[in-house]
Amino acid sequence: MDISNSKETIRNQMVCHKLGDMSRTIVGPSSAESHPQQDDKDSQDQTIVIKPSPLKTPANAPGGKFNSNFSYTDNTKDSTQILTAPQLSSRMKHIKQEMAKNHLQFVRFEATDLHGVSRSKSIPAHFFQEKVIHGVYMPRGYLELIPHPKDNEVDHIRATCFNSDIVLMPELSTFRVLPWAERTARVICDTFTVTGEPLLTSPRYIAKRQLSQLQDCGFSLLSAFIYDFCIFGMPEIINSKTISFPASTLLNNHDQPFIQELVDGLYHTGANVESFSSSTRPGQMEICFLPEFGISSADNAFTLRTGVKEVARKYNYIASFFIETGFCNSGILSHSLWDVCEKKNMFCSSSGIEQFTITGKKWLAGLLKHSAALSCLMAPAVSCRKRYSKESRDLRESVPTTWGYNDNSCAFNIKCHGEKGTRIENKLGSATANPYLVLAATVAAGLDGLRSSEDVLVGPDDSTDLYQLQPSEIPLKLEDALVALEEDQCLREALGETFIRYFVAMKKYELENEETDAERNKFLEYFI
């Protein structure tokens, strides 16, 4: 394929008019007008059989119906609306005012790789408007992380082969000035191939697609991430060994300039922190975000993963998602299911008593059913999976999946207290997991539970009973978890065959090359 011609083609596809033309809607790179029907079955919508309510989807529903024109859709209340040229012009005018007010020099175009780490290109601020229209090009391998893929591990649809470029298209609602970077802003991007199709391995695209499936069923997701991370002093050389000590001064959370600057910075980037505290070990901190509807909760977690290490450097710290023993810190997804209008928590009974509803029990049954495959995405490294067996002295291949009410020791903890209402904490995750994949896989498993009544027997709303015919087990070895993911037909269909092939190939490569070593990752500052 002639790449120079293809770049010109995609530029024409990505926008049909300049900003000054107010008469037509901007057409994004993956809209129906811009490219032929994809021949990969991953691009087809997954059919959801359950229709719990005949509610019509409003235009302002969060996590709205999947719109292939990601580049010009909003991530806020009007997330299902495609921005017209006047709206885009108004948005750009507001952004230009922010850029002038803060004397910005650079804008980062950020996208997540398969590990959940930010991959970005920074452009001079005066080129921002042009890049909004045409996008920013980046080698595809930066995001998919397989150095030498085998023919059977990747697919080659048109120009979407591994060695081609991908295009970063910004979601303008995510534009924020970065408080911890001098005269710099960032915008989160969605990724497209050079032929204008969504990148099927993009975790953010996969998460948006699952939220769309959820909305098509008449539901929306309210969720928030809770992260543990450790703060270490800069490495020191002692007796020829590189050692980094925990920042023991963070044993309490009072008058700490580092954590205060981090929390304030996250607020200004749109990620509202509900609380932060010291945790169980020296230098270990916990940070809880406020729940938000739709993709915003994963965007907030993605922002934290970059922000925490940049702020830490200013204080001569290293922020790490590993603890000194080589274990991974936890990354919890607290979530509840709401009606599509965001008025009613579907996990709570209408009586006002915080009981777990049948809808909630079916959702939980889906999580339990798919817990083995879920664990592969939520604890995606050898060191992550040590958490599952840390209390057990038996040499076992797997451990039972546990759930309970208000029991923090369980893999799925149903919290039935507080002003947030009934919610489930998915505690399978580690802080190194990609938040978009955690969100997408949780929704896919929960939806399967709503569709199916075969694997669970539930009592009435006021009953706490929930029986599984076959108790699920979580593999302790990553190799076994990869097999579970490959054999889970529901998650394969939901996340896409292409993504599963790439993810499994990447993990097998890491296992072969021991790239999951905790100490190397900690000091190389990658998984932080």
Side-chain angles (χ1 to χ4, degrees):
M1 181 175 185
D2 188 335
I3 295 299
S4 61
N5 289 339
S6 71
K7 288 185 178 180
E8 183 62 34
T9 301
I10 196 171
R11 278 198 292 270
N12 294 333
Q13 292 172 343
M14 283 181 178
V15 61
C16 59
H17 288 286
K18 297 289 185 182
L19 293 178
D21 187 346
M22 304 299 183
S23 60
R24 291 177 61 184
T25 301
I26 297 293
V27 178
S30 60
S31 67
E33 297 179 27
S34 66
H35 64 83
Q37 179 85 18
Q38 248 180 287
D39 55 4
D40 193 295
K41 65 181 178 180
D42 295 345
S43 64
Q44 300 173 3
D45 290 337
Q46 309 298 326
T47 304
I48 302 292
V49 236
I50 180 172
K51 296 212 172 181
S53 73
L55 293 173
K56 185 177 179 180
T57 302
N60 65 347
K65 183 175 181 180
F66 171 67
N67 187 328
S68 60
N69 188 4
F70 282 140
S71 314
Y72 305 103
T73 57
D74 221 347
N75 193 26
T76 53
K77 292 294 182 181
D78 60 342
S79 60
T80 59
Q81 295 179 348
I82 302 176
L83 296 183
T84 62
Q87 290 171 325
L88 179 58
S89 180
S90 174
R91 180 66 53 80
M92 284 300 303
K93 181 179 178 181
H94 174 75
I95 289 176
K96 284 181 179 179
Q97 291 172 346
E98 284 291 302
M99 294 172 76
K101 175 184 174 183
N102 292 278
H103 306 287
L104 296 183
Q105 286 185 311
F106 301 102
V107 180
R108 293 180 190 167
F109 282 58
E110 288 192 334
T112 174
D113 67 15
L114 287 179
H115 286 143
V117 175
S118 171
R119 298 287 187 158
S120 66
K121 274 197 173 182
S122 295
I123 57 122
H126 57 271
F127 289 135
F128 180 71
Q129 180 170 314
E130 176 187 341
K131 298 303 181 183
V132 166
I133 298 173
H134 299 295
V136 172
Y137 289 84
M138 175 183 285
R140 177 172 173 172
Y142 286 8
L143 302 182
E144 291 178 334
L145 306 172
I146 309 177
H148 303 289
K150 302 173 185 176
D151 289 339
N152 62 342
E153 292 174 341
V154 298
D155 67 341
H156 300 269
I157 332 172
R158 303 192 190 97
T160 60
C161 68
F162 179 80
N163 293 313
S164 67
D165 282 343
I166 50 94
V167 187
L168 306 181
M169 295 300 295
E171 188 164 289
L172 294 182
S173 63
T174 65
F175 180 92
R176 295 290 189 278
V177 177
L178 292 177
W180 47 73
E182 186 176 355
R183 299 172 69 178
T184 301
R186 78 92 202 268
V187 62
I188 297 176
C189 299
D190 289 299
T191 51
F192 297 85
T193 69
V194 292
T195 55
E197 300 156 349
L199 190 66
L200 298 179
T201 55
S202 164
R204 196 168 190 266
Y205 165 73
I206 293 169
K208 280 188 168 184
R209 190 169 62 181
Q210 286 307 300
L211 290 171
S212 170
Q213 299 289 328
L214 188 65
Q215 189 187 14
D216 288 344
C217 291
F219 296 112
S220 55
L221 190 77
L222 182 68
S223 62
F225 280 86
I226 304 169
Y227 274 123
D228 284 342
F229 56 90
C230 288
I231 305 300
F232 294 88
M234 296 301 287
E236 301 177 20
I237 306 296
I238 299 177
N239 295 330
S240 74
K241 291 185 178 180
T242 303
I243 299 176
S244 187
F245 296 101
S248 56
T249 55
L250 297 180
L251 280 172
N252 60 66
N253 55 2
H254 302 292
D255 302 320
Q256 296 300 326
F258 160 71
I259 201 72
Q260 289 172 355
E261 181 171 341
L262 174 63
V263 171
D264 186 60
L266 288 170
Y267 170 77
H268 283 94
T269 59
N272 290 316
V273 173
E274 181 180 49
S275 67
F276 64 91
S277 64
S278 56
S279 193
T280 55
R281 293 176 175 85
Q284 189 177 35
M285 305 295 296
E286 179 189 83
I287 194 163
C288 306
F289 289 103
L290 277 174
E292 296 194 40
F293 285 99
I295 198 71
S296 296
S297 62
D299 283 343
N300 293 343
F302 178 62
T303 301
L304 168 70
R305 293 165 69 90
T306 302
V308 67
K309 61 183 176 182
E310 295 198 32
V311 178
R313 284 197 193 103
K314 294 176 65 175
Y315 290 86
N316 290 321
Y317 291 144
I318 289 177
S320 175
F321 288 152
F322 291 89
I323 59 180
E324 67 276 11
T325 58
F327 286 92
C328 288
N329 283 283
S330 65
I332 300 169
L333 178 63
S334 176
H335 66 283
S336 52
L337 199 63
W338 290 62
D339 68 295
V340 78
C341 297
E342 309 169 30
K343 302 296 183 184
K344 177 177 173 54
N345 184 342
M346 305 305 292
F347 288 172
C348 295
S349 63
S350 57
S351 63
I353 303 173
E354 303 235 351
Q355 297 288 349
F356 206 37
T357 61
I358 291 179
T359 298
K361 292 172 183 176
K362 288 186 174 182
W363 183 274
L364 175 61
L367 299 181
L368 292 169
K369 175 182 177 182
H370 299 285
S371 58
L374 284 175
S375 74
C376 184
L377 298 165
M378 298 183 183
V382 172
S383 50
C384 297
R385 309 190 73 81
K386 295 177 183 178
R387 301 172 52 246
Y388 296 151
S389 60
K390 63 180 180 180
E391 304 297 336
S392 174
R393 297 182 180 179
D394 299 332
L395 296 176
R396 305 179 60 182
E397 296 294 321
S398 61
V399 293
T401 306
T402 56
W403 69 276
Y405 290 90
N406 303 311
D407 185 347
N408 290 321
S409 68
C410 293
F412 299 105
N413 182 20
I414 306 164
K415 290 202 169 181
C416 301
H417 59 81
E419 73 282 1
K420 298 177 186 176
T422 304
R423 58 203 182 278
I424 298 175
E425 286 187 348
N426 182 349
K427 306 186 76 168
L428 288 176
S430 80
T432 59
N434 188 314
Y436 297 105
L437 296 180
V438 172
L439 186 71
T442 298
V443 171
L447 272 175
D448 188 55
L450 294 179
R451 293 196 299 260
S452 174
S453 59
E454 296 177 359
D455 300 297
V456 64
L457 302 173
V458 296
D461 282 4
D462 59 354
S463 169
T464 59
D465 294 334
L466 186 146
Y467 304 101
Q468 277 200 286
L469 301 180
Q470 293 182 343
S472 53
E473 295 271 331
I474 300 174
L476 296 182
K477 293 182 179 178
L478 180 58
E479 296 92 328
D480 296 336
L482 288 170
V483 172
L485 179 62
E486 289 183 293
E487 293 178 350
D488 193 306
Q489 191 60 33
C490 170
L491 290 189
R492 287 187 71 94
E493 292 178 1
L495 305 183
E497 294 283 344
T498 299
F499 165 77
I500 295 295
R501 286 201 300 272
Y502 269 86
F503 185 85
V504 171
M506 178 184 71
K507 289 301 164 187
K508 287 181 178 178
Y509 175 86
E510 290 174 359
L511 285 170
E512 291 170 1
N513 293 275
E514 299 181 348
E515 289 293 329
T516 53
D517 179 80
E519 290 301 309
R520 287 182 61 192
N521 286 325
K522 183 172 68 177
F523 292 116
L524 286 175
E525 298 189 66
Y526 181 71
F527 286 119
I528 63 172

